[in-house]
């Protein structure tokens, strides 16, 4: 959600800024812009639409410069249009901003009274005028920015340049991610390391409340109060190949097919051991997990669905009560806190604003046993939890999450096994059998991916539909939820999911010939009950599309299409059954001609509430 790239270097940085913005396109945006300082002063380019349009402007105007900032905007305050696009300018300076300034209205009125004119609808323009005002009395560039951001409430990452300091950029963060890139011939900043991998792997992660001044051969970091601080320099493990599309049509397709490798990489820490050690979640995990009385899982979107699956595992295998909360709701209701609760937060990016805020709320209630499951080791969520498990899915660019979801599920299953073990509910033979099943997952998922040609054929039958109903039972109900989410995200078909047993309590009224019903039907204890639910659909003229297991006796017939997965996988079958749902959504979107990787109105990393 929004992206920042900034650079001050002994080179023309326009190609770096534009390539950085391209690498941040996955975050979601509706406009783009950049500001540069060259020999004649400050210049700005802005466009509504894709980065390619901004690049065309830059080429047409022969834009060059050694100091610049660039931005992709996802609209919050004000519609997508050029006047609302970043950068915003005031008094010879330009500002780009990610996040939301919650007190922008009183600041706007105060600045208007001082004579500042507003030409956009954004909260960001308030930041530009506020910094310009503070710089009038500040001793230097960095001090002026510090004085301004001390007055801001909300979440932000900002980058500022001004014509009076042509070889400096000042950046700051509070609640939104921002990092520095260090090279021998320049300094860089960005929302994400992927934007800087083109120039450096030397990364410095800023903390909340940090401001940094970047020069061509130095940087210095200070807190808002002026205290100078140092942050460690790390080497990014991100590879250029990991964020390239390669031979695939879309990143989503690439990431679906990367799932066997992503699962294998995530499971690599197990080695060939016949037992699982609590230490896979951190050095202090055995002590923190031993006396846990209940588990609270907090997440958003797809990660929330992973948590819903885990609830079935944790309660049935580990014997611990488990609740799952939508992060954006959790901290706004009165809840009963128990200090012996394990709070598990799940996020692909580790920067999800609602999840981070929910974690802070849980800790404020005295629940300090915290664990995160995350795909980005350097993220805010990882740094703020007592325990952590890094899913080694690699960069996930497509907005619709796929490999992050399946690696989250396997991490949650390992957590279930660890909780069961520390509670003495996992005997040696069963532990070995469980680990054998987990290790076989990459091969099992690879077999499921071989069903793509059949699923592609199914997609033709869905392409003209406007609605779809997904059904599942038990731990496969959350998989139905995930399938519906994927379909609506990228094909724009309205899709809903229900526990199959709830059909007669309302959803059955929607069923007719135009309502396809997709059923997740593993060969488990609930299959016969699910079959009865499906007969209720056929009796009303509904057409069924069923994902069954290899050993299921369900067969295709008039109005019933059955696709058999290669094998039944017991408690872990959720990981197999979600894969064909991902493929179905992808191929339906292809037929409908939507923007698969960048669906309308959505952002990959939701860094504001």
């Amino acid at each position: 959600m929004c992206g920042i790239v900034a650079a001050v270097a002994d080179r023309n940085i326009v190609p770096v800024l534009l390539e950085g913005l391209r690498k941040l396109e996955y975050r979601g945006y509706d406009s783009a812009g950049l500001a540069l300082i060259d020999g004649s002063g400050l210049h700005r380019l802005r466009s509504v639409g894709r980065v390619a349009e901004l690049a065309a402007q830059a080429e047409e105007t022969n834009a060059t410069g050694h100091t610049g900032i660039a931005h992709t905007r996802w609209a919050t305050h004000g519609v997508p249009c050029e006047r609302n696009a970043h950068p915003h300018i005031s008094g010879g300076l330009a500002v780009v901003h990610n996040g939301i300034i919650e007190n922008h209205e009183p600041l706007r009125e105060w600045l208007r009274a001082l004579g500042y004119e507003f030409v956009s609808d954004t909260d960001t323009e308030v930041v530009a005028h506020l910094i310009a005002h503070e710089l009038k009395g500040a001793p230097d560039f960095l001090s002026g920015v510090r004085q301004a951001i001390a007055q801001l409430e909300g979440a932000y990452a900002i980058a500022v340049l001004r014509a009076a300091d042509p070889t400096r950029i000042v950046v700051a963060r509070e609640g939104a991610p921002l990092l520095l890139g260090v090279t021998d011939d320049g300094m860089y900043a960005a929302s994400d390391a992927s934007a800087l991998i083109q120039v450096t792997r030397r990364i410095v992660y800023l903390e909340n409340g940090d401001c940094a001044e970047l020069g061509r051969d130095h940087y210095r970091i200070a807190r808002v109060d002026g205290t100078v601080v140092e942050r460690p320099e790390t080497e990014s493990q991100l590879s250029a190949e990991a964020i390239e599309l390669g031979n695939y049509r879309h990143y989503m397709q690439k990431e679906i097919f990367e799932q066997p490798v992503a699962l294998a990489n995530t499971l690599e820490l197990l080695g060939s051991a016949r037992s699982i050690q609590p230490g896979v979640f951190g050095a202090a995990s055995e002590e923190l997990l031993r006396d846990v009385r209940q588990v609270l899982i907090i997440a958003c979107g797809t990660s929330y669905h992973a948590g819903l699956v885990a609830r079935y595992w944790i309660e049935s295998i580990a014997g611990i009560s488990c609740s799952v909360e939508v992060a954006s709701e959790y901290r706004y209701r009165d809840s009963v806190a128990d200090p012996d609760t394990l709070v598990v937060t799940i996020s692909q990016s580790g920067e999800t604003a609602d999840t981070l805020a929910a974690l802070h709320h849980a800790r404020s209630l005295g629940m300090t046993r915290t664990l995160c499951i995350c795909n980005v080791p350097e993220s805010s969520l990882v740094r703020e939890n007592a325990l952590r498990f890094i899913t080694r899915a690699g960069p996930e660019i497509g907005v619709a999450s796929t490999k992050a979801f399946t690696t989250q599920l396997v991490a949650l299953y390992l957590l279930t096994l660890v909780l069961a073990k520390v509670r003495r509910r996992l005997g040696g033979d069963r532990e070995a059998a469980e680990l054998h099943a987990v290790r076989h997952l990459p091969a099992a998922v690879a077999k499921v991916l071989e069903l793509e040609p059949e699923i592609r054929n199914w997609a033709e039958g869905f392409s003209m539909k406007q609605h779809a109903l997904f059904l599942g039972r038990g731990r496969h109900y959350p998989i139905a939820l995930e399938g519906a989410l994927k379909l609506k995200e990228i094909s724009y078909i309205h899709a809903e999911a229900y526990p199959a047993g709830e059909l007669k309590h309302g959803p059955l009224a929607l069923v007719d010939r135009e309502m396809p019903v997709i059923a997740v039907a593993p060969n488990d204890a609930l299959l016969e009950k699910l079959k009865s639910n499906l007969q209720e659909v056929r009796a009303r003229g509904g057409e069924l599309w069923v994902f069954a297991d290899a050993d299921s006796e369900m067969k295709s017939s008039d109005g019933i299409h059955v696709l058999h997965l290669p094998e039944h996988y017991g408690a872990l079958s959720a990981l197999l059954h979600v894969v064909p749902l991902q493929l179905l959504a992808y191929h339906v979107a292809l037929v409908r001609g939507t923007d698969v990787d960048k669906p309308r109105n959505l952002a990959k990393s939701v860094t504001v509430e």
Side-chain angles (χ1 to χ4, degrees):
M1 181 176 288
C2 299
I4 290 174
V5 187
V8 50
D10 292 326
R11 59 186 290 187
N12 175 23
I13 47 81
V14 173
V16 176
L17 296 178
L18 292 171
E19 182 59 23
L21 291 186
R22 291 187 186 100
K23 290 296 188 287
L24 296 178
E25 285 187 298
Y26 75 93
R27 296 169 71 90
Y29 69 106
D30 45 57
S31 61
L34 59 82
L36 299 166
I37 296 176
D38 62 17
S40 60
L42 175 64
H43 303 277
R44 174 177 62 174
L45 298 175
R46 297 186 294 179
S47 69
V48 177
R50 295 304 180 198
V51 171
E53 297 171 37
L54 180 67
Q57 279 193 46
E59 183 176 359
E60 182 180 343
T61 59
N62 194 29
T64 60
H66 293 271
T67 306
I69 56 177
H71 189 263
T72 50
R73 176 181 185 253
W74 192 84
T76 54
H77 296 77
V79 299
C81 63
E82 185 173 325
R83 66 184 174 85
N84 286 332
H86 300 207
H88 290 285
I89 287 178
S90 178
L93 64 81
V95 173
V96 293
H97 160 235
N98 294 349
I100 290 178
I101 305 304
E102 295 176 356
N103 62 333
H104 72 97
E105 290 183 350
L107 287 173
R108 184 187 303 267
E109 293 306 310
W110 176 65
L111 289 163
R112 273 191 175 134
L114 293 174
Y116 290 92
E117 181 182 353
F118 286 81
V119 296
S120 78
D121 306 313
T122 69
D123 54 340
T124 303
E125 193 176 5
V126 168
V127 180
H129 291 319
L130 182 61
I131 293 173
H133 180 70
E134 293 299 330
L135 279 169
K136 292 177 181 178
D140 55 53
F141 193 7
L142 180 61
S143 298
V145 175
R146 286 195 297 100
Q147 291 167 19
I149 65 172
Q151 302 171 58
L152 301 179
E153 298 174 8
Y156 57 80
I158 65 170
V160 192
L161 59 74
R162 69 169 180 166
D165 284 284
T167 61
R168 287 181 175 81
I169 289 173
V170 174
V171 300
R173 71 155 294 192
E174 178 63 50
L178 196 65
L179 53 88
L180 309 182
V182 180
T183 74
D184 293 334
D185 63 354
M187 298 295 160
Y188 301 83
S191 305
D192 188 316
S194 64
L196 301 184
I197 197 68
Q198 57 175 311
V199 290
T200 187
R201 295 181 182 278
R202 296 166 60 192
I203 301 296
V204 176
Y205 290 92
L206 298 180
E207 300 288 343
N208 284 335
D210 282 354
C211 304
E213 179 186 81
L214 312 184
R216 291 181 183 176
D217 58 1
H218 75 281
Y219 68 88
R220 61 184 175 118
I221 304 172
R223 303 294 289 168
V224 175
D225 64 5
T227 305
V228 176
V229 294
E230 293 186 3
R231 302 296 180 209
E233 182 180 309
T234 63
E235 183 173 349
S236 174
Q237 300 304 305
L238 188 64
S239 69
E241 294 77 13
I243 56 178
E244 295 298 333
L245 187 57
N247 295 323
Y248 292 94
R249 292 184 63 181
H250 298 92
Y251 280 104
M252 182 179 180
Q253 181 190 31
K254 177 177 184 260
E255 288 153 12
I256 289 172
F257 279 86
E258 284 177 338
Q259 287 178 111
V261 172
L263 288 166
N265 288 342
T266 300
L267 291 167
E268 195 175 61
L269 81 170
L270 296 178
S272 58
R274 289 177 54 85
S275 65
I276 183 169
Q277 301 303 316
V280 298
F281 292 96
S285 57
E286 187 165 5
E287 178 184 352
L288 288 179
L289 298 179
R290 184 182 298 111
D291 299 322
V292 164
R293 295 201 300 181
Q294 61 182 354
V295 175
L296 169 63
I297 298 175
I298 304 171
C300 298
T302 286
S303 298
Y304 171 71
H305 296 159
L308 291 176
V309 174
R311 178 173 61 185
Y312 289 91
W313 292 335
I314 291 169
E315 293 196 343
S316 65
I317 298 173
I320 301 176
S321 175
C322 179
S323 59
V324 188
E325 295 270 3
V326 175
S328 58
E329 291 291 322
Y330 170 65
R331 71 188 179 111
Y332 294 112
R333 70 176 184 84
D334 295 328
S335 58
V336 179
D338 183 338
D340 293 325
T341 298
L342 175 66
V343 179
V344 180
T345 48
I346 313 172
S347 169
Q348 188 283 137
S349 69
E351 303 293 350
T352 308
D354 289 313
T355 305
L356 283 163
L359 170 66
H360 300 159
H361 178 66
R363 283 207 302 248
S364 74
L365 297 177
M367 294 187 287
T368 58
R369 300 173 190 243
T370 64
L371 180 154
C372 76
I373 293 172
C374 183
N375 192 40
V376 181
E378 306 91 350
S379 64
S380 299
L381 195 66
V382 170
R383 293 198 299 270
E384 293 191 25
N385 273 273
L387 304 176
R388 76 268 313 159
F389 187 99
I390 306 302
T391 57
R392 296 174 60 192
E396 189 178 66
I397 307 300
V399 166
S401 181
T402 52
K403 61 178 180 175
F405 178 69
T406 48
T407 53
Q408 286 170 356
L409 285 177
V410 78
L412 288 161
Y413 199 75
L414 294 179
L415 175 62
T416 300
L417 298 181
V418 166
L419 289 170
K421 184 170 183 174
V422 299
R423 291 169 62 85
R424 303 185 185 281
R425 290 175 58 96
L426 192 67
D429 290 342
R430 182 179 181 185
E431 183 177 5
E434 292 282 6
L435 290 177
H436 175 77
V438 167
R439 289 191 179 99
H440 183 60
L441 276 171
V445 170
K447 283 290 186 182
V448 176
L449 289 168
E450 294 176 6
L451 299 174
E452 185 187 28
E454 296 171 72
I455 295 170
R456 187 187 299 119
N457 293 335
W458 277 21
E460 294 288 341
F462 281 82
S463 61
M464 301 306 294
K465 303 296 184 181
Q466 299 304 315
H467 306 277
L469 185 64
F470 286 69
L471 301 176
R473 300 205 69 149
R475 58 181 169 263
H476 294 86
Y477 163 53
I479 297 303
L481 285 168
E482 178 63 10
L485 177 61
K486 287 292 157 284
L487 190 66
K488 72 180 77 170
E489 277 182 314
I490 62 171
S491 76
Y492 313 147
I493 293 174
H494 172 243
E496 298 295 338
Y498 285 88
E502 289 293 293
L503 262 177
K504 293 189 290 293
H505 296 276
L508 199 56
L510 298 172
V511 173
D512 59 18
R513 292 182 180 179
E514 297 303 314
M515 173 70 83
V517 178
I518 300 95
V520 183
N523 193 11
D524 59 15
L526 293 172
L527 180 60
E528 292 305 317
K529 291 187 177 296
L530 178 62
K531 286 181 179 178
S532 298
N533 303 139
L534 301 185
Q535 287 303 317
E536 294 169 350
V537 172
R538 282 302 298 139
R540 274 78 179 176
E543 191 168 10
L544 286 164
W545 308 77
V546 183
F547 293 97
D549 283 335
D551 53 357
S552 170
E553 296 181 358
M554 300 184 72
K555 296 180 180 179
S556 297
S557 60
D558 182 42
I560 303 179
H561 312 273
V562 180
L563 187 63
H564 290 276
L565 274 64
E567 58 185 305
H568 173 55
Y569 220 68
L572 287 164
S573 66
L575 280 99
L576 272 61
H577 275 272
V578 76
V579 174
L581 298 181
Q582 296 169 348
L583 286 168
L584 179 63
Y586 173 71
H587 284 289
V588 170
L590 282 188
V591 175
R592 289 171 68 91
T594 61
D595 192 338
V596 172
D597 287 333
K598 296 184 281 289
R600 67 190 182 200
N601 304 331
L602 298 181
K604 179 65 177 175
S605 181
V606 184
T607 56
V608 298
E609 286 192 78

